[in-house]
Amino acid sequence: MSPVPPGAQEDELGCWARVQSICVSLLKVPLMFGFLYLFVCSLDVLSSAFQLAGGKVAGDIFKDNAILSNPVAGLVVGILVTVLVQSSSTSTSIIVSMVSSGLLEVRSAIPIIMGSNIGTSVTNTIVALMQAGDRSEFKRAFAGATVHDCFNWLSVLVLLPLEVVSGYLHHVTRLVVATFNIRSGKDAPDLLKIITEPFTKLIIQLDKSVITGIAMGDESLRNRSLIRVCWLLPTLSLQTAAVEIGPPLNCTAPGHCSTKVIESLHNITRQKCEHLFTDTPLPDLAVGLVLLAGSLIVLCTCLILLVKLLNSLLKGQVAKAIQKVINTDLPHPLSWLTGYFAMVVGAGMTFVVQSSSVFTSAITPLIGLGVISIERAYPLTLGSNIGTTTTAILAALASPGDKLASSFQIALCHFFFNISGILLWYPLPFTRLPIRMAKALGERTAKYRWFAVLYLIVCFLLLPSLIFGISMAGWRALVGVGAPFLGLLFFVGLVNALQVRSPGRLPKWLQTWDFLPAWMHSLQPLDRLITRATLCCTDRCRSPEGWEEREGPRPDKARLGLDNPALSYPEEVPSPAVRVGSPRPPLHGATRL
């Protein structure tokens, strides 16, 4: 036999390596869909965990109508309850039930709907925290997640006072309901739950009517567990019952029903639910905490593995091609329609999965990887807001005839609130403040990673609770505290803008914030404190005396990955020494709030 030429051996090895690479890539695709499925299921279980831990508290909050009659308190209740149950659909369904039953007026329910819109955006912000390992990815992911928060907060800041003064949402939706002859329709489709429920039902099943019942004042449900133990299983289908029994069940009076009705009632049996916590002796809170820990572990694991798989698949020419397709505008005459087309896509995808949280959480890793730009993610998120209201409208259309008008009006209030927000913060490029705000938050968070946790706690817990407490003291207290705070916020924003664009128009002492103490215009003092606290349990506590003076704090920060010169802010860039009498250094190094 003649020996094989070296070139042929190399070609054969190269061919085999390419085959192996293709096989590995093909194997990664089903793995990616598997992790995505577990990721979505973990979001569902996470929502159930929050409902078990705080669902009854949410019901108690909704029960006090005296509180809900205050618009600001109603807004905060909507935020806190949606954060507690991790589902705007659950909080909205409670609101619709209360309005339908006459326990809550439509006008009082509108601020709560606005609050639920804010509370639902906490999920994708939590998901963005999972990409904190890579600074650039974290910067993009957090900006992409918080653009939803910024849009909702800005919309509420403008539309809530307008609604209190004019009641425009109430009047417009009442006119729509009165104009159209609306009839009961089919319930909204559960396309995503068809896929996820077979798995999630094996873990936990909840009786959400307990929360709604507590909110509507049914004290008998207070000691009842939210964990579903059994459910009714009719052996006769509704069509068969309609044909055999006939309307209206042939009952002339209570206790005087036909034989067929009694027989059909006997055919209704109870079947035991089969999930992990069917016969658990643990209370709802303990089960909720167990599920919370488990779902967060699964969510974090799946997200990390998803990001790694996407990183390996979406690289080189593939990534460039996908980025070009997703982020490219339509041809020139129709380029202005690109964002609106993205809104339609976002609304359609949210309608399919029936959850804005799932959709925005799914695109957050892609934003972090740079596959989707924040400019494209913004209209997708706005479309998602519209899509989640569409499913609420379909659900309202399934209400009985006597409850249809009020249910449909509340669903329309949610829809028109989001449409009004889009008209405020999207059509003109200079009005797209949420993008600029989210980018600033992303840059700040990339530099100080702890800022993301602080942002979540302040924006979704501390600030709403503080506003709620002040609003309960009355309008005078709320205006007395809120007006100066908003005035100060506006002044700081205006001065910051002038410091960047026209510093000459400001007095010399106001051209920088250096006249203030460092903790009032920089996060560096707090960052040093957190860095020292973090290192307290490491070798820093065992370091020789005088180590800090020799090495300085910066190497410690570098070890933690908290230092990145490319992302440094002006106040932290070392400036050359300035002697007395020398000209003032350039203003690009000025400190801004």
Side-chain angles (χ1 to χ4, degrees), residues 179-242:
T179 302
F180 295 98
N181 184 20
I182 301 165
R183 299 178 180 179
S184 293
K186 295 181 179 179
D187 201 356
D190 278 341
L191 300 179
L192 183 68
K193 288 192 175 181
I194 294 173
I195 304 172
T196 59
E197 267 195 358
F199 179 71
T200 56
K201 283 176 70 174
L202 296 175
I203 300 172
I204 190 68
Q205 296 180 37
L206 298 185
D207 185 2
K208 296 181 182 180
S209 63
V210 174
I211 304 175
T212 306
I214 292 174
M216 296 174 70
D218 189 350
E219 293 297 326
S220 64
L221 297 174
R222 185 168 299 281
N223 296 323
R224 183 174 164 184
S225 174
L226 272 74
I227 301 172
R228 191 187 295 275
V229 178
C230 60
W231 54 289
L232 296 177
L233 180 68
T235 56
L236 287 178
S237 66
L238 291 177
Q239 292 82 1
T240 306

Side-chain angles (χ1 to χ4, degrees), residues 130-386:
M130 303 304 112
Q131 290 181 267
D134 184 275
R135 195 174 295 277
S136 58
E137 283 186 15
F138 190 34
K139 173 184 173 182
R140 291 190 294 263
F142 197 80
T146 53
V147 75
H148 197 186
D149 309 344
C150 296
F151 169 78
N152 288 329
W153 279 108
L154 287 173
S155 298
V156 165
L157 200 62
V158 175
L159 297 178
L160 180 61
L162 182 63
E163 175 63 25
V164 171
V165 172
S166 64
Y168 89 101
L169 280 175
H170 181 261
H171 294 311
V172 169
T173 52
R174 186 174 61 180
L175 184 64
V176 171
V177 171
T179 302
F180 295 98
N181 184 20
I182 301 165
R183 299 178 180 179
S184 293
K186 295 181 179 179
D187 201 356
D190 278 341
L191 300 179
L192 183 68
K193 288 192 175 181
I194 294 173
I195 304 172
T196 59
E197 267 195 358
F199 179 71
T200 56
K201 283 176 70 174
L202 296 175
I203 300 172
I204 190 68
Q205 296 180 37
L206 298 185
D207 185 2
K208 296 181 182 180
S209 63
V210 174
I211 304 175
T212 306
I214 292 174
M216 296 174 70
D218 189 350
E219 293 297 326
S220 64
L221 297 174
R222 185 168 299 281
N223 296 323
R224 183 174 164 184
S225 174
L226 272 74
I227 301 172
R228 191 187 295 275
V229 178
C230 60
W231 54 289
L232 296 177
L233 180 68
T235 56
L236 287 178
S237 66
L238 291 177
Q239 292 82 1
T240 306
V243 172
E244 294 188 3
I245 301 173
L249 296 177
N250 295 338
C251 292
T252 56
H256 293 82
C257 294
S258 68
T259 307
K260 289 183 178 179
V261 174
I262 297 171
E263 289 177 355
S264 67
L265 292 176
H266 282 299
N267 285 332
I268 298 178
T269 58
R270 289 179 179 269
Q271 179 174 343
K272 190 175 183 180
C273 295
E274 295 183 1
H275 54 83
L276 289 177
F277 298 95
T278 303
D279 299 316
T280 180
L282 297 173
D284 285 1
L285 178 60
V287 175
L289 293 177
V290 170
L291 288 175
L292 180 64
S295 59
L296 282 175
I297 291 171
V298 175
L299 187 145
C300 297
T301 305
C302 290
L303 190 61
I304 291 169
L305 293 173
L306 264 175
V307 170
K308 289 187 178 295
L309 282 174
L310 287 170
N311 261 325
S312 62
L313 287 172
L314 304 179
K315 61 184 179 182
Q317 297 301 319
V318 178
K320 290 179 182 177
I322 294 175
Q323 288 173 356
K324 189 174 182 180
V325 170
I326 293 177
N327 299 316
T328 302
D329 292 342
L330 294 173
H332 173 60
L334 303 174
S335 58
W336 62 278
L337 288 173
T338 306
Y340 299 99
F341 178 72
M343 288 184 201
V344 173
V345 172
M349 292 298 294
T350 304
F351 180 78
V352 169
V353 301
Q354 271 210 301
S355 173
S356 59
S357 298
V358 170
F359 176 73
T360 53
S361 299
I363 66 172
T364 297
L366 297 176
I367 299 170
L369 292 173
V371 177
I372 301 176
S373 66
I374 189 171
E375 287 77 13
R376 184 66 72 242
Y378 181 50
L380 285 171
T381 302
L382 300 187
S384 177
N385 271 0
I386 297 173

